[in-house]
Amino acid sequence: MPQSTYTGSRRVDAMALTVHAAGTARGTGTFDSLSPATSEVIATFPVCGEQDVADSVERARQAGAWWAGLDWKERERRLLAWKSHLTRYIGRLAELVHAETGKPLAEAQLEILLAVVHIDWAARHARRVLRSRRVRSGLTMINQAATLEYQPLGVVGVIGPWNYPVFTPAGSIAYALAAGNAVVFKPSEFTPAVGRWLVAAFAEIVPEQPVLQLVTGFGATGHHLARSGVDKISFTGSPATARKVMAACAENLTPLLAECGGKDAMLVGADADLDAAADACAWGAMANAGQTCIGVERVYVAEDVYHTFLEKLAERVTRLRPGEDREADYGPMTMPGQLEVIERHVADALARGGRPVVGGIGSIRAPYVGPVILADVPEESRAVTDETFGPTVTVTPVADLDEGVTLANASRYALGASVFAGNKKDAMRAARRLRSGMTAVNGVMSYAGIPSLPFGGSGDSGFGRVHGADGLREFARPKSVARQRMKPMANLTSFHRSDADLRKVLAIATILHGRRYRRP
């Protein structure tokens, strides 16, 4: 995603700006959370300074020791109770998400539902994934009993985004908590009220210790959290901001998990169900005003069905309407600065010979952007190379799925992708060849709703994974234990080792590993 909670703001008072610039130990300013549709003030929050963050981390250290000391069942019970709370009050939380992001209530409810599903999975599977278990020692170390387990890191700092202020941070917070860690959460300055709601709801369920804490503010607050000595940072934002976070983390060798957005491609084969593909593309590109890191931004369509697909997509997209009212298909741009990015990308595409199929520059009417479909856009255009993060999509004809894979893989981003094809083997072959962390076949973003699948990318899309077993292990450290259970056949780890011991081991090694290799 192009912007992060680490930098940027909408409107703050003079004191808040002073605190942000100076980076004082104690935050003394405040800032307002505003409706992106109406600019009305939703709530006011403190700008946390360096000492404020340090105090939160210290409290988290003590709370984390208590939390890690609970058995798996106790943590599971509390996390499931938190999940139940979110489910029961989904309407109230969705209203808050709608107010701060502008997205329709139905989209907000869907986002919360996805978070609930992931919290449930993390709570129920943490013990199975992370518990102590025996592993094979091998013949040469047969006298040893080998054990592997995963221990909590301690305190995890989560820097969350504004576009999915419940679902995205939950993918780090819930999994970190399930792994036995305490969490200090810095939500986006655009959605601090949602962050506060989540933390307060958890505190109702777990009143004993501040296991999940909130810090609010701008770039300086995120910088302080990255430098605070937490045991890991989970960050969602732009590649440029991720580099700044990495630099701050490097001071204490703090490991970083970074999800930095994408330029996701959809491939449409000649034998694809074009109605299903067009419907999925319209939603994948335009939902949440295109402010989705795994949203569809590029489409490569087999030339035999290119014009038919384009007509079907245009028919669906033309009917979409942005707005603040309950009947709108999607809401405003949450961050005003994104309007300039969208305008630059559309203008660049048109200047290079691109053709507007639906909408164009005139679709940009702050704070809304109408749907835009562009055709004949050169691959070197910004609308193809850079993340637009708006309700725009480019559609390009290709000879076949193979050419589509080649063009899709030319991006420096590698987050998500999708393939539509009638032939299962062709679809799976293309899906595996796509350089992406996740791929949906005959659907879009479906992997995000499957808690057992890891989520993340590579290249400018970042590194590390949330969700699934890999997501749980991201917030734990592997601990290996080798215990001697009987005397070894040959004592090799001693200065009193005999030549006979060494000959014995070499003989066994020759039998096991010394056979001549034969080519198949």
Side-chain angles (χ1 to χ4, degrees), residues 102 137 173 238 319 369:
S137 303
I173 293 171
S238 71
R319 297 197 295 260
V369 177

Side-chain angles (χ1 to χ4, degrees), residues 146-461:
T147 304
L148 172 64
E149 64 184 50
Y150 293 86
Q151 299 177 346
L153 295 174
V155 179
V156 173
V158 176
I159 300 176
W162 47 264
N163 59 333
Y164 289 90
V166 178
F167 171 63
T168 301
S172 294
I173 293 171
Y175 287 77
L177 291 171
N181 303 282
V183 174
V184 178
F185 175 37
K186 184 206 172 294
S188 166
E189 63 269 29
F190 291 94
T191 54
V194 174
R196 182 172 64 183
W197 197 99
L198 292 172
V199 172
F202 189 83
E204 285 189 35
I205 304 301
V206 186
E208 300 96 327
Q209 293 280 348
V211 177
L212 174 60
Q213 293 183 66
L214 181 77
V215 293
T216 55
F218 303 96
T221 304
H223 181 74
H224 297 324
L225 184 58
R227 295 179 64 247
S228 66
V230 293
D231 299 288
K232 190 161 194 170
I233 288 287
S234 179
F235 165 82
T236 304
S238 71
T241 305
R243 292 181 177 93
K244 297 177 183 178
V245 178
M246 287 182 70
C249 287
E251 295 181 22
N252 295 308
L253 291 180
T254 301
L256 172 68
L257 187 161
E259 196 270 274
C260 305
K263 190 70 179 177
D264 290 8
M266 172 187 283
L267 310 186
V268 182
D271 62 344
D273 181 335
L274 298 184
D275 287 314
D279 191 66
C281 182
W283 188 80
M286 308 298 164
N288 198 30
Q291 300 170 120
T292 305
C293 58
I294 52 173
V296 177
E297 296 207 8
R298 302 176 289 154
V299 187
Y300 297 103
V301 187
E303 53 192 2
D304 290 347
V305 297
Y306 172 72
H307 293 292
T308 303
F309 173 83
L310 199 56
E311 289 173 3
K312 290 179 179 293
L313 178 62
E315 179 187 355
R316 287 162 171 78
V317 165
T318 301
R319 297 197 295 260
L320 300 180
R321 180 180 63 83
E324 201 270 337
D325 57 283
R326 307 241 169 179
E327 285 72 39
D329 296 291
Y330 61 84
M333 304 309 296
T334 304
M335 192 166 61
Q338 201 59 33
L339 291 160
E340 299 173 9
V341 175
I342 296 168
E343 184 174 4
R344 285 199 304 270
H345 287 195
V346 173
D348 180 67
L350 297 177
R352 292 174 183 268
R355 174 171 60 92
V357 177
V358 174
I361 292 294
S363 301
I364 304 170
R365 301 179 295 275
Y368 301 100
V369 177
V372 177
I373 300 176
L374 301 172
D376 303 326
V377 179
E379 289 296 296
E380 64 272 15
S381 168
R382 284 185 173 183
V384 175
T385 62
D386 298 349
E387 188 177 40
T388 306
F389 223 58
T392 70
V393 65
T394 64
V395 186
T396 304
V398 291
D400 49 29
L401 287 177
D402 286 341
E403 185 183 3
V405 169
T406 299
L407 293 177
N409 287 349
S411 174
R412 65 182 185 275
Y413 293 96
L415 190 58
S418 55
V419 179
F420 276 80
N423 185 288
K424 177 184 175 181
K425 289 184 178 179
D426 290 345
M428 291 302 293
R429 178 173 172 270
R432 292 189 175 101
R433 290 180 57 216
L434 282 165
R435 189 176 65 87
S436 61
M438 305 84 61
T439 301
V441 175
N442 292 330
V444 288
M445 310 183 207
S446 50
Y447 43 77
I450 302 174
S452 55
L453 285 178
F455 183 106
S458 59
D460 272 20
S461 290

